[in-house]
Amino acid sequence: MKRHYFLFTLVVCSFSCVCQIGAKGRAMGSNTIGLTDAFSALNNPAASTNVQRNVLITDWENRYMVNKLSQSTVGGIFKVNNDRLGFSLYHTGFSAFSSSDFRLFYAKKISSKFSVATRLNLHHTFIPEQNNNIISISPDIFLHYEVNEKLNFGVNAGNLIPIHSESPSQQLIIGLAYYFSDKLTFTSDCIKIMDAPFSAGIGLEWSIKESLFLRTGLRNQPQINSFGIGYKKESFACDFSFSYIPIIGMSPGLSLSYVW
Amino acid sequence: MIYGAQVHAQIPLEREIESVAENIESEEGDLVQIAENLEIRREQKININTADRMTLAEFPFLNAFQINNILQYIKKNGPLLAPYELMAIKAMDLETAKQLSEFIYFGSGSPKKIPWKKMFKYGRHNTLTRWQRVLNEQEGYKRRRVYESTGESQGTHYLGDPNRFFARHRFTFSRHIQMGLTLEKDPGEPWQNPIGFDFLSGHIAIMDVGHLKRLVVGDFQAQFGQGLALWSSMAFSKSAMTLNSQRFSRGVYGYTGADENRFFRGTAATIQWGKTTVSGFYSNKGFDASIPSNDPEVRNGLQWSGLHRTPTELANKNSLTIQTIGGNIQRDFGDFHLGITAVDHQLASPIVPPDQLYRQNQFRGSHSQNLSMDYQWVLRGMQFFGEVAKNERGAWAQTHGVYVEVDQQLIFNLHHRNFSPQYDALFMAPFGESHGKGNGERGTYLGFEWRPFSKWVTHAYADHYQFQWLRFQAGAPTKGVDYLWQTEYIHDKNTSVYFRLRWQNRDINGENEQIIRPLANESRGSARLHFSHQLDRWVFASRLEMSRRNYLEESQNGWLIFQDLRYHFLRVPLVLTMRYALFDTDGYAARIYAYEHDVLYAFSIPAYFSTGRRMYLLLKWKTGKKIDLWLRYANTHHHGTHTMGSGLNTIEGNNFHEIKVQCRLKF
């Protein structure tokens, strides 16, 4: 049974770079690289330069309804003049396996419509049965630019230059966010991880009212169908997500954010 | 913004170059002359009101319809006065008009004449030097190192070092005098006496002096008609520029390219009396040809790579001398244009192709002749063009086409070619599937350009062809189809996106398990989505492309995703270009080509295959008015492999590094 969980975790962690995106992003099929919101600390730190206030976030997901596979994340974005400094701390695991990431980023506004961010990731994986304690470091580069008031693009070159063999796989994510109006947002990301199949998806967010959001998304590799709702009140926001991967099952998630 | 205009001037040319590379399956073509001509025109703009067809043909972004319409418009309405007036010309779109504006001025008469004695004062010199090298040790050099240190031979090896050196000097005076000198040593080639460089080329050209249109002494190109009888340089084939099936010949002109075989050496001249133009040339040049081991008196065939790295390649260098005499007469009858071309090649050694059935119709012997007649006829909204040719064996080849402008938004291009299996020419480049060879091809091509709404343009073509004789990898007459669809949205001068679909199906040899090898069907498909945007001094380009190849019930798929970034520094004259790409293909058959920015006059269109990453950095530094410097570093990583490349180019490991440094001096 423990090996079962271990295999599941390995499968999931191979996608972990993308899964650490918050409930809103998961509800939109993990198509978030072009978005600008409180969860840019996780999705695209370059976009955080457009977030005008400091942010604290926390995220939790109960993957496949298996408690031992749950993951949790905390993070924040802090204003430094026109630039941003931020972090995120991620953890998942149980007695036979645990994985943690600490990520620190710096985002700089190059022009009114273009921002760049660099992020340093510290990964730690521990498998007691094999007495395996793996620590690796990887750098990421993010870009975010506005084509016009409706269309934004985001790019992530993950683990741009592998520092050592235990580093995560290199990846390239290119995506967009198109704002049809204040109420309707369309997103789409293309993801290529070096040793994984090509993945593409689309996401949609609809603002029913000023503070209530409905979201849905699709992705092909792995095949994910997702939906969720969000509620925003003044400085607080709360998001729920439900992601379904065929055969493996449903994963509910919850995110909270606070801005000041 | 100047740099913005430069970016957009290159994009359609980049796409056409990509298509050329995909069709000829080559990673580096000699497109130097095309790029250099554009550079010369940028510096020495032409007067659009006095430009002739030959001059306009130098701009690869102009299609046949546009060239003819420009000439017709000026003829009927008088000189063009300003850039905006270009939009009044039929079939001219905004993007092409802007590109053309970079290279022209709107003069009313002849340009101011500069006395000849001031040639050296007002003439312009342009010197370019380049060094490039693969930083890994390739197998060919490893064997050379072992052989030189121990005397132990591990098979054939490269004779020279891995450095590539290229140098070119060009002198131009007004539009009347041009001199060029090119030196090149490819990687692996040994330094040779007396000058060291493996390749040396030069010419002196005098242009537009009275009736003398052109006089070239030295190395030159010759292009006439539709490429059936004589076309010594490379020519674009099928591409997303779907209205470019007509060839626009430039006659004879000085050669400044880097291709070591596709040119002539001798003397050429073109004289014009009124509406009649007469060209003649003589060439006596050595070409690379393979020498069979059992009969050194004959040659198996011409070789075009220009590489002389191994003892065999060096032995084949310039091993076949060909004397060529040729001429062309052209006459303009208003809307009708007629040309006649004749060429005669005398080979110092006979060509005897290897004894394989598919080579049965290839040229053999010591004497080759071609005679052709080409025409162009403009009739209301239609333009007819074509050529009929015959060779010394009495075999015929013909190509005919027509452009039809249905309205301002829709133009069709219909083209039919029919080459007898016995027809060929030593230097030919007709439009078709066979990339510059006859091969008994017969086919019909239908392309169109459609602009249904402003900002939207669609290009598409369908080509059905067959080969009436065997070919390499096809042991019987075969047929095939080639379809392309491309839709582009040009939001404004800064932003565009295009989507392209392509599908090809052809017959090639099947499994080699039977006495008579049956044909099998091979299909290839690709889909591409490309977005580009300019934001102030930044230029972004993103691409997603997938490919698929089916053969013998086996499929290979491929993916490519890349992000380009270019930045023009503000305080220093630096331009930085970079790319980060990830690719994943099931094998070489599903490879994907993608154009890369390179140093000036160098073209890089690598094939992305296997699983891995590629990135490059290109830095251009304009140190002053006279000196430009370039530095390029490229790295390719293949995931999970222990070697890269094949044969003598194999390297140990899975990271491939290459560097280029180039300097240009203008004075």
Side-chain angles (χ1 to χ4, degrees):
Chain A
M1 198 62 172
K2 283 184 180 178
R3 284 195 179 177
H4 228 52
Y5 291 152
F6 175 64
L7 285 172
F8 274 142
T9 307
L10 281 183
V11 167
V12 167
C13 283
S14 69
F15 205 59
S16 65
C17 310
V18 181
C19 285
Q20 301 174 37
I21 52 175
K24 174 183 174 182
R26 287 194 296 272
M28 294 178 76
S30 307
N31 298 287
T32 57
I33 200 78
L35 285 175
T36 297
D37 57 25
F39 286 86
S40 292
L42 306 179
N43 302 333
N44 186 346
S48 66
T49 59
N50 298 319
V51 177
Q52 300 305 325
R53 299 157 82 179
N54 297 317
V55 173
L56 275 179
I57 55 173
T58 180
D59 174 64
W60 172 83
E61 185 187 21
N62 186 2
R63 283 187 287 193
Y64 320 118
M65 310 290 280
V66 177
N67 290 333
K68 291 187 177 181
L69 295 180
S70 297
Q71 62 170 0
S72 52
T73 306
V74 295
I77 302 172
F78 306 100
K79 290 177 62 175
V80 180
N81 297 324
N82 282 334
D83 303 337
R84 301 289 181 270
L85 188 64
F87 78 98
S88 65
L89 179 62
Y90 160 90
H91 178 76
T92 185
F94 54 99
S95 56
F97 172 85
S98 71
S99 174
S100 303
D101 285 352
F102 176 69
R103 301 180 174 196
L104 193 64
F105 74 82
Y106 184 79
K108 184 168 180 59
K109 208 164 187 55
I110 304 297
S111 71
S112 61
K113 294 185 177 181
F114 175 47
S115 302
V116 174
T118 58
R119 186 172 73 183
L120 195 61
N121 313 302
L122 180 68
H123 314 279
H124 175 245
T125 305
F126 179 56
I127 306 173
E129 198 173 274
Q130 299 175 10
N131 200 23
N132 220 347
N133 205 353
I134 303 169
I135 297 176
S136 63
I137 298 174
S138 64
D140 289 359
I141 299 284
F142 293 86
L143 309 177
H144 185 267
Y145 63 95
E146 298 175 23
V147 176
N148 52 43
E149 58 190 21
K150 286 183 178 290
L151 181 62
N152 293 348
F153 268 81
V155 178
N156 166 225
N159 198 11
L160 195 64
I161 301 171
I163 297 174
H164 46 68
S165 58
E166 286 83 22
S167 299
S169 296
Q170 294 170 65
Q171 70 178 27
L172 181 61
I173 306 176
I174 299 176
L176 62 88
Y178 187 78
Y179 301 93
F180 285 97
S181 68
D182 290 340
K183 292 184 179 297
L184 189 62
T185 303
F186 169 82
T187 62
S188 179
D189 286 4
C190 298
I191 302 173
K192 183 68 184 81
I193 301 173
M194 178 70 82
D195 47 9
F198 174 80
S199 172
I202 55 173
L204 211 60
E205 178 186 75
W206 175 34
S207 171
I208 303 174
K209 293 183 178 180
E210 196 176 324
S211 56
L212 190 61
F213 304 88
L214 286 183
R215 302 173 183 121
T216 186
L218 291 171
R219 178 157 291 281
N220 71 324
Q221 284 283 357
Q223 187 181 338
I224 300 176
N225 303 317
S226 59
F227 64 94
I229 56 174
Y231 179 74
K232 189 175 172 184
K233 179 78 174 179
E234 294 177 357
S235 298
F236 290 92
C238 174
D239 301 298
F240 294 91
S241 68
F242 301 91
S243 303
Y244 174 73
I245 298 180
I247 300 175
I248 300 179
M250 177 73 78
S251 302
L254 166 68
S255 291
L256 300 171
S257 65
Y258 173 70
V259 299
W260 77 97
Chain B
M1 290 183 283
I2 295 174
Y3 48 85
Q6 284 178 343
V7 166
H8 283 270
Q10 293 167 3
I11 291 176
L13 179 58
E14 290 172 10
R15 287 190 223 155
E16 191 145 21
I17 290 170
E18 266 182 323
S19 292
V20 169
E22 289 166 10
N23 286 333
I24 65 176
E25 299 186 348
S26 164
E27 298 193 7
E28 187 178 329
D30 181 28
L31 301 149
V32 175
Q33 285 231 260
I34 297 170
E36 190 176 48
N37 288 338
L38 290 178
E39 193 73 11
I40 293 173
R41 290 293 169 234
R42 211 176 255 127
E43 295 171 2
Q44 299 176 1
K45 298 181 192 299
I46 63 164
N47 182 354
I48 186 66
N49 293 313
T50 57
D52 57 13
R53 194 186 314 274
M54 218 179 270
T55 304
L56 293 176
E58 294 176 19
F59 302 119
F61 50 81
L62 288 178
N63 63 47
F65 227 61
Q66 289 164 333
I67 290 175
N68 282 312
N69 286 345
I70 289 170
L71 297 170
Q72 292 287 324
Y73 182 93
I74 294 171
K75 184 180 170 186
K76 288 182 181 171
N77 302 290
L80 291 165
L81 301 176
Y84 66 82
E85 204 175 342
L86 289 171
M87 293 305 298
I89 297 172
K90 280 186 186 178
M92 184 64 69
D93 57 278
L94 181 60
E95 192 176 324
T96 305
K98 284 182 177 175
Q99 287 174 62
L100 185 60
S101 300
E102 278 189 60
F103 303 98
I104 62 175
Y105 69 93
F106 299 83
S108 55
S110 302
K112 180 182 174 184
K113 290 188 178 176
I114 303 173
W116 288 85
K117 55 187 174 184
K118 296 196 175 178
M119 179 172 72
F120 290 104
K121 180 180 178 184
Y122 290 100
R124 299 184 189 188
H125 294 268
N126 190 314
T127 302
L128 188 112
T129 53
R130 182 193 308 150
W131 167 75
Q132 74 183 78
R133 179 177 175 141
V134 171
L135 299 178
N136 310 79
E137 185 181 45
Q138 293 168 298
E139 179 66 20
Y141 306 107
K142 185 178 166 186
R143 291 186 188 180
R144 170 179 173 250
R145 178 171 53 81
V146 169
Y147 177 74
E148 288 180 351
S149 59
T150 68
E152 177 191 337
S153 172
Q154 296 177 315
T156 189
H157 59 267
Y158 291 149
L159 296 171
D161 59 66
N163 297 299
R164 181 179 192 177
F165 292 101
F166 177 83
R168 176 193 293 121
H169 181 81
R170 190 186 72 233
F171 171 79
T172 53
F173 170 65
S174 183
R175 295 198 69 239
H176 299 298
I177 296 215
Q178 178 179 307
M179 300 181 201
L181 179 66
T182 304
L183 306 165
E184 188 182 35
K185 171 202 160 309
D186 289 313
E189 291 177 345
W191 290 96
Q192 301 169 56
N193 292 320
I195 53 150
F197 288 86
D198 172 77
F199 174 64
L200 168 67
S201 170
H203 75 275
I204 298 173
I206 298 172
M207 297 160 290
D208 296 324
V209 178
H211 289 293
L212 182 68
K213 282 283 287 181
R214 219 160 276 174
L215 173 65
V216 184
V217 177
D219 294 340
F220 62 92
Q221 295 279 26
Q223 301 173 349
F224 297 106
Q226 294 298 306
L228 279 181
L230 181 62
W231 196 286
S232 58
S233 65
M234 179 186 287
F236 286 127
S237 187
K238 287 180 284 182
S239 72
M241 310 284 279
T242 52
L243 300 184
N244 276 359
S245 74
Q246 180 179 5
R247 299 273 184 257
F248 274 97
S249 60
R250 294 179 54 200
V252 295
Y253 58 95
Y255 179 66
T256 55
D259 187 315
E260 300 186 19
N261 284 286
R262 286 186 181 278
F263 63 94
F264 294 112
R265 177 167 289 171
T267 306
T270 299
I271 299 172
Q272 183 172 8
W273 287 283
K275 296 187 178 182
T276 302
T277 306
V278 178
S279 300
F281 66 89
Y282 169 78
S283 166
N284 189 332
K285 181 181 176 294
F287 292 86
D288 296 351
S290 56
I291 306 173
S293 55
N294 58 347
D295 190 353
E297 299 302 318
V298 304
R299 303 290 180 265
N300 281 151
L302 292 172
Q303 293 183 324
W304 302 106
S305 71
L307 297 171
H308 311 117
R309 306 162 297 182
T310 64
T312 303
E313 288 176 348
L314 199 56
N316 293 340
K317 179 184 177 184
N318 295 336
S319 62
L320 178 60
T321 301
I322 300 179
Q323 281 195 78
T324 303
I325 297 175
N328 171 269
I329 299 174
Q330 296 180 26
R331 172 79 185 180
D332 243 326
F333 298 96
D335 290 338
F336 184 72
H337 170 95
L338 189 68
I340 297 174
T341 304
V343 62
D344 181 293
H345 306 283
Q346 291 281 357
L347 286 63
S349 303
I351 286 182
V352 179
D355 193 20
Q356 291 153 306
L357 194 55
Y358 77 89
R359 295 181 189 270
Q360 183 178 328
N361 290 314
Q362 287 182 359
F363 169 76
R364 57 189 68 221
S366 307
H367 190 208
S368 170
Q369 288 178 320
N370 296 90
L371 177 67
S372 79
M373 184 182 73
D374 66 274
Y375 66 92
Q376 179 177 289
W377 184 25
V378 179
L379 180 65
R380 294 180 186 174
M382 295 187 290
Q383 294 177 15
F384 298 87
F385 61 91
E387 186 177 16
V388 179
K390 186 179 175 183
N391 68 355
E392 75 285 348
R393 290 183 275 178
W396 291 89
Q398 46 186 321
T399 185
H400 304 282
V402 60
Y403 292 99
V404 179
E405 187 183 22
V406 176
D407 55 36
Q408 281 277 61
Q409 295 163 321
L410 181 60
I411 302 173
F412 281 96
N413 175 200
L414 180 64
H415 192 130
H416 178 75
R417 69 260 185 205
N418 188 350
F419 311 147
S420 164
Q422 288 78 31
Y423 181 86
D424 62 14
L426 288 183
F427 301 95
M428 61 189 291
F431 178 82
E433 174 68 16
S434 51
H435 315 307
K437 302 168 194 167
N439 280 340
E441 182 179 340
R442 181 193 295 168
T444 303
Y445 168 97
L446 176 64
F448 70 82
E449 179 183 287
W450 181 35
R451 296 174 184 271
F453 316 106
S454 75
K455 303 187 180 184
W456 288 89
V457 58
T458 291
H459 291 97
Y461 72 71
D463 187 32
H464 288 232
Y465 59 87
Q466 54 180 290
F467 291 100
Q468 302 171 75
W469 187 244
L470 288 61
R471 293 179 301 125
F472 177 63
Q473 292 185 331
T478 56
K479 58 184 186 306
V481 296
D482 183 5
Y483 301 114
L484 181 141
W485 180 283
Q486 177 173 301
T487 293
E488 183 173 12
Y489 173 67
I490 304 167
H491 180 72
D492 53 38
K493 65 177 182 178
N494 294 326
T495 308
S496 69
V497 58
Y498 74 86
F499 177 69
R500 177 190 297 181
L501 284 172
R502 189 172 186 190
W503 186 66
Q504 300 166 284
N505 191 303
R506 63 174 186 167
D507 297 327
I508 59 173
N509 283 338
E511 289 174 323
N512 194 18
E513 294 177 355
Q514 302 174 31
I515 296 175
I516 300 176
R517 196 168 178 181
L519 291 176
N521 188 257
E522 180 198 45
S523 68
R524 289 174 186 263
S526 67
R528 177 190 297 175
L529 182 63
H530 185 98
F531 174 81
S532 58
H533 175 67
Q534 181 172 339
L535 179 64
D536 300 328
R537 295 182 169 271
W538 294 90
V539 180
F540 305 91
S542 307
R543 178 179 294 185
L544 172 65
E545 185 160 353
M546 67 88 65
S547 68
R548 185 180 180 91
R549 188 247 194 178
N550 293 324
Y551 175 65
L552 294 179
E553 298 178 357
E554 183 187 314
S555 291
Q556 288 190 3
N557 297 310
W559 289 95
L560 168 67
I561 180 171
F562 72 66
Q563 177 66 45
D564 282 357
L565 196 59
R566 176 181 286 182
Y567 179 60
H568 297 253
F569 287 78
L570 178 61
R571 291 178 186 167
V572 289
L574 275 176
V575 179
L576 177 64
T577 307
M578 59 187 92
R579 170 175 293 180
Y580 187 76
L582 291 186
F583 51 92
D584 189 357
T585 74
D586 292 335
Y588 185 71
R591 64 194 176 278
I592 299 171
Y593 288 91
Y595 177 92
E596 294 183 350
H597 291 96
D598 208 327
V599 302
L600 186 66
Y601 304 145
F603 290 87
S604 181
I605 315 111
Y608 293 75
F609 62 95
S610 186
T611 301
R613 172 209 74 226
R614 179 164 169 89
M615 56 186 182
Y616 72 83
L617 293 171
L618 173 64
L619 194 65
K620 179 187 174 184
W621 180 25
K622 197 172 181 62
T623 63
K625 285 186 181 177
K626 297 184 178 180
I627 300 179
D628 297 324
L629 293 172
W630 289 263
L631 174 64
R632 188 180 195 264
Y633 166 75
N635 167 254
T636 304
H637 166 80
H638 280 183
H639 183 70
T641 62
H642 301 290
T643 62
M644 291 177 67
S646 62
L648 294 179
N649 289 331
T650 305
I651 64 163
E652 293 294 325
N654 59 0
N655 270 293
F656 183 86
H657 308 272
E658 186 179 25
I659 189 167
K660 276 184 201 174
V661 180
Q662 178 166 290
C663 173
R664 179 175 66 170
L665 176 65
K666 292 195 287 187
F667 57 96

